[in-house]
Amino acid sequence: MITQPIFLIGARGCGKTTVGQKLAEACHFDFIDTDVTLQERAQQSIADIVAKEGWPAFRALETQTLQSVTAPQSVIATGGGVILAPVNREFLRENGIVIYLKAPVAVLAGRLEAFPEESQRPTLTGKPISEEVREILAQRDALYRETAHFTVDAACEPDDVVAQILAAIASVQPTTVAVNSATAD
Ligand SMILES: Nc1ncnc2c1ncn2[C@@H]1O[C@H](COP(=O)(O)OP(=O)(O)OP(=O)(O)O)[C@@H](O)[C@H]1O
Ligand SMILES: O=C(O)C1=C[C@@H](O)[C@@H](O)[C@H](O)C1
Ligand SMILES: [Mg+2]
């Protein structure tokens, strides 16, 4: 079994938090969510940080949080925009196994409409959810793909997503990181 950190990346609503908790249990790893840790440390919500200090301030905290929580034997659920910064993309690829939870726009939008969690997910564009999800995914999909070691289908049930991830990481050597392979697209 590997000991490298497992990083989950993907759009808002793809299930990084939901799947990450289950994956951590299955691996007997710690579970960390960078959005949760960041808000606990700042003692305010992401919406408040962005409203008071702007997105660049939030992005700086996100980089700091990502680097400080990274440890062996942990599953780390990242924020949806973590891949925007080149420094984060390089950090993720070099310090763990990166899994892209990929889901279509309609699935993501449906989940976000059902569970908006606006304090953690302030609007990125000011547009309605499905329009925003389409626009943002079009901008970011290539970055998720280039950052990931593995891509899994995140539109299915959480337990099935976990099973895909376990199958993917089974091929990874304990001391090295996989390169550019995909189990699903
Ligand atoms: N595989 C799944 N099947 C059905 N519902 C799911 C699945 N994964 C997540 N959900 C639901 O979708 C919502 C969003 O999931 P979650 O918070 O895990 O996404 P996230 O990727 O962590 O989002 P964010 O980037 O905003 O932190 C939750 O209410 C969750 O219950
Ligand atoms: O997609 C994004 O840019 C974000 C996703 C969330 O996880 C949070 O990290 C924050 O709301 C930004
Ligand atoms: Mg989350």
Side-chain angles (χ1 to χ4, degrees):
M1 180 67 191
I2 55 122
T3 56
Q4 297 95 310
I6 302 171
F7 296 110
L8 304 185
I9 65 170
R12 283 177 171 176
C14 72
K16 301 176 295 289
T17 300
T18 307
V19 168
Q21 284 166 336
K22 285 175 171 279
L23 178 66
E25 272 173 40
C27 298
H28 304 287
F29 276 19
D30 292 331
F31 175 70
I32 298 140
D33 186 312
T34 60
D35 282 336
V36 172
T37 303
L38 187 156
Q39 291 175 105
E40 281 171 2
R41 289 181 181 172
Q43 297 197 315
Q44 53 186 331
S45 68
I46 293 174
D48 285 344
I49 296 170
V50 170
K52 288 184 206 152
E53 300 168 47
W55 280 108
F58 167 75
R59 296 297 175 203
L61 290 174
E62 183 173 45
T63 296
Q64 219 175 69
T65 306
L66 172 68
Q67 297 188 3
S68 66
V69 300
T70 296
Q73 297 190 299
S74 35
V75 172
I76 300 168
T78 61
V82 74
I83 43 66
L84 293 174
V87 66
N88 292 347
R89 298 201 294 274
E90 191 181 341
F91 181 88
L92 290 163
R93 279 194 71 85
E94 289 187 353
N95 288 280
I97 302 166
V98 188
I99 315 283
Y100 174 21
L101 275 58
K102 187 174 168 78
V105 170
V107 170
L108 297 169
R111 290 179 189 167
L112 295 176
E113 275 157 6
F115 307 97
E117 287 189 71
E118 281 158 358
S119 68
Q120 192 179 297
R121 301 188 186 113
T123 181
L124 295 163
T125 60
K127 296 180 180 169
I129 286 182
S130 63
E131 220 176 304
E132 172 162 300
V133 171
R134 184 174 304 106
E135 186 174 313
I136 295 291
L137 197 58
Q139 290 166 10
R140 295 181 181 173
D141 183 63
L143 297 176
Y144 292 129
R145 284 189 283 110
E146 76 167 59
T147 309
H149 296 108
F150 298 100
T151 298
V152 297
D153 173 11
C156 50
E157 288 302 310
D159 285 342
D160 295 331
V161 184
V162 170
Q164 291 178 64
I165 297 171
L166 292 174
I169 65 179
S171 66
V172 178
Q173 296 299 311
T175 51
T176 59
V177 173
V179 277
N180 274 332
S181 154
T183 54
D185 242 327

